[in-house]
Amino acid sequence: MRMLHTSDWHLGRSFHRVGMLGAQAEFIGHLVDTVREREVDAVVVSGDVYDRAVPPLSAVELFDDALHRLAGLGVPTVMISGNHDSARRLGVGAGLMERAGIHLRTEPSACGTPVVLSDEHGDVAFYGLPYLEPALVKDAFGVERAGHETVLAAAMDRVRADLAARAPGTRSVVLAHAFVTGGEPSDSERDITVGGVAAVPAGVFDGVDYVALGHLHGCQTLTERVRYSGSPLPYSFSEAAHRKSMWLVDLAADGAVTAERVDCPVPRALARIRGTLEELLADPALARHEEAWVEATLTDPVRPADPMARLTERFPHTLSLVFDPDRAADDPALSYARRLAGRDDQQIAEDFVAHVRGAGPDAHERAVLRDAFDAVRADDAVREVTR
């Protein structure tokens, strides 16, 4: 069976104020063409279809167009909700859509109920594991502690139990939206840390033939059977080095996997450039970036006059301007943002406690802070899906 694995469309998202709907529509056209030209048997979309729980109408219309075009090809599509989606909204009409070959899996309770497709070698069971917010699903899965690994492990127990009851030789594919250990994140993914832990080990998914992951925006191979497709478009300058693509996966009769990357259309190259303003304006080596979307980091010791206006004369698509003067690490003028770079909310809160009290929090206090951050995040998730 030949599958096309994609994820993280983030329909409705912009890139530094530049609307991406046209580029997203071009990607959908490319996806449909690939399905037709490469004789794909099934499309899998591993979450974050939309960029937010209540997407703009233009994004919903593009999603509707994508579903109609895929259904028109007669190729089944299996799709899960991600942490940016409202699972309840995305799942509206799932029963009717299933009749057209569009299989939406947004209910955590249905993790062990697969979409079963067949080829000349027999059945392939597709299990959809939508994004599982630990605090919201732990009771449904009967786990005591709210953590990504515990709820995913419980979901996979249901998958393996169902698979064991099927005919010998049934092949299996799992769609999941999670941060799996070994994956490389970028700046454009929403933090899903719970209890100080964001990642789960790839071993959670042992026992299935292929795991189609979503959430991280870089295309990555964790093992031959566990892969991220990445987002089809860039959504932050941290993705400047990414090659945006989808996975074309062939699942053999014995469950062996072969995979090929299919490149996605590039609306415009990304470039991150760094130096003093005069260096950036004069350096001939930067000519190749003059038509790119640019993030410029200025290292001038004193902020120059009209930097954006001067930069856009040479780099008309400059979208982001960062000031990072070359200074010693102990310079009192070092910016607050730079001191916090790379530190998560928990670390920042612990530093604040140490600054105010003269000593950092003890183990109990760290646990209280961690529980508070987890509760706020869970509350935000509930508010998004009930709006």
Side-chain angles (χ1 to χ4, degrees):
M1 182 168 289
R2 172 165 285 185
M3 302 172 288
L4 189 63
H5 167 199
T6 178
S7 72
D8 296 275
W9 295 358
H10 289 278
L11 300 181
R13 187 165 184 164
S14 61
F15 181 78
H16 288 267
R17 305 177 306 281
V18 174
M20 296 291 278
L21 198 67
Q24 290 170 339
E26 186 178 358
F27 160 70
I28 295 298
H30 170 68
L31 182 147
V32 172
D33 290 344
T34 301
V35 170
R36 182 190 306 109
E37 294 166 6
R38 301 299 298 271
E39 299 181 341
V40 170
D41 299 309
V43 177
V44 295
V45 187
S46 299
D48 281 354
V49 175
Y50 292 122
D51 189 55
R52 56 182 185 266
V54 185
L57 178 60
S58 56
V60 177
E61 290 173 340
L62 180 55
F63 178 60
D64 181 65
D65 177 64
L67 296 189
H68 275 84
R69 294 171 73 178
L70 288 168
L73 294 177
V75 175
T77 297
V78 185
M79 184 177 294
I80 62 172
S81 50
N83 61 302
H84 279 251
D85 299 308
S86 164
R88 291 173 62 184
R89 285 188 174 86
L90 188 64
V92 169
L96 289 173
M97 291 183 195
E98 194 147 9
R99 300 180 187 179
I102 304 295
H103 306 274
L104 294 172
R105 290 295 184 264
T106 62
E107 287 292 332
S109 59
C111 285
T113 305
V115 176
V116 180
L117 306 178
S118 300
D119 63 10
E120 65 270 26
H121 303 297
D123 289 347
V124 181
F126 289 78
Y127 297 90
L129 278 56
Y131 173 67
L132 302 174
E133 176 62 46
L136 303 184
V137 302
K138 71 180 184 69
D139 292 337
F141 282 106
V143 298
E144 294 182 1
R145 183 175 174 274
H148 290 294
E149 183 174 355
T150 53
V151 297
L152 270 172
M156 284 301 301
D157 285 344
R158 296 187 181 189
V159 168
R160 284 184 281 264
D162 180 86
L163 189 58
R166 296 188 175 274
T170 300
R171 289 159 291 163
S172 54
V173 176
V174 165
L175 290 73
H177 196 86
F179 186 174
V180 178
T181 303
E184 289 291 332
S186 62
D187 293 342
S188 50
E189 298 115 8
R190 183 180 293 169
D191 179 39
I192 59 170
T193 301
V194 173
V197 178
V200 300
V204 166
F205 300 104
D206 285 351
V208 296
D209 293 308
Y210 185 73
V211 182
L213 293 174
H215 180 56
L216 300 185
H217 288 184
C219 182
Q220 301 170 61
T221 300
L222 304 186
T223 74
E224 286 304 306
R225 297 184 182 276
V226 182
R227 299 171 186 263
Y228 281 101
S229 67
S231 62
L233 293 166
Y235 294 113
S236 71
F237 276 102
S238 67
E239 300 169 56
H242 286 188
R243 173 186 164 195
K244 295 301 183 181
S245 58
M246 303 176 285
W247 284 114
L248 189 66
V249 179
D250 285 314
L251 192 62
D254 62 356
V257 170
T258 57
E260 172 192 346
R261 288 180 72 173
V262 178
D263 290 327
C264 295
V266 179
R268 192 178 294 277
L270 304 187
R272 301 179 104 173
I273 58 178
R274 179 184 178 90
T276 66
L277 179 58
E278 296 304 327
E279 288 170 347
L280 298 184
L281 295 177
D283 187 352
L286 299 180
R288 68 186 188 279
H289 300 314
E290 290 177 354
E291 294 303 315
W293 280 323
V294 168
E295 178 186 74
T297 298
L298 299 185
T299 60
D300 302 76
V302 177
R303 186 175 300 218
D306 299 322
M308 182 61 89
R310 295 174 66 189
L311 278 169
T312 53
E313 289 179 5
R314 183 180 186 189
F315 307 102
H317 304 289
T318 301
L319 300 181
S320 175
L321 186 57
V322 179
F323 293 96
D324 187 17
D326 286 333
R327 294 190 173 114
D330 58 352
D331 191 316
L334 192 65
S335 74
Y336 179 68
R338 186 170 173 184
R339 292 199 303 273
L340 296 184
R343 303 182 69 75
D344 60 27
D345 292 340
Q346 177 86 15
Q347 292 169 321
I348 293 169
E350 290 181 14
D351 287 350
F352 176 76
V353 172
H355 172 73
V356 171
R357 195 172 61 187
D362 59 26
H364 172 71
E365 291 168 332
R366 284 195 297 271
V368 169
L369 287 169
R370 187 162 52 245
D371 290 346
F373 284 122
D374 289 350
V376 169
R377 230 192 64 262
D379 184 63
D380 286 345
V382 171
R383 289 175 184 273
E384 280 205 356
V385 300
T386 56
R387 275 195 293 169

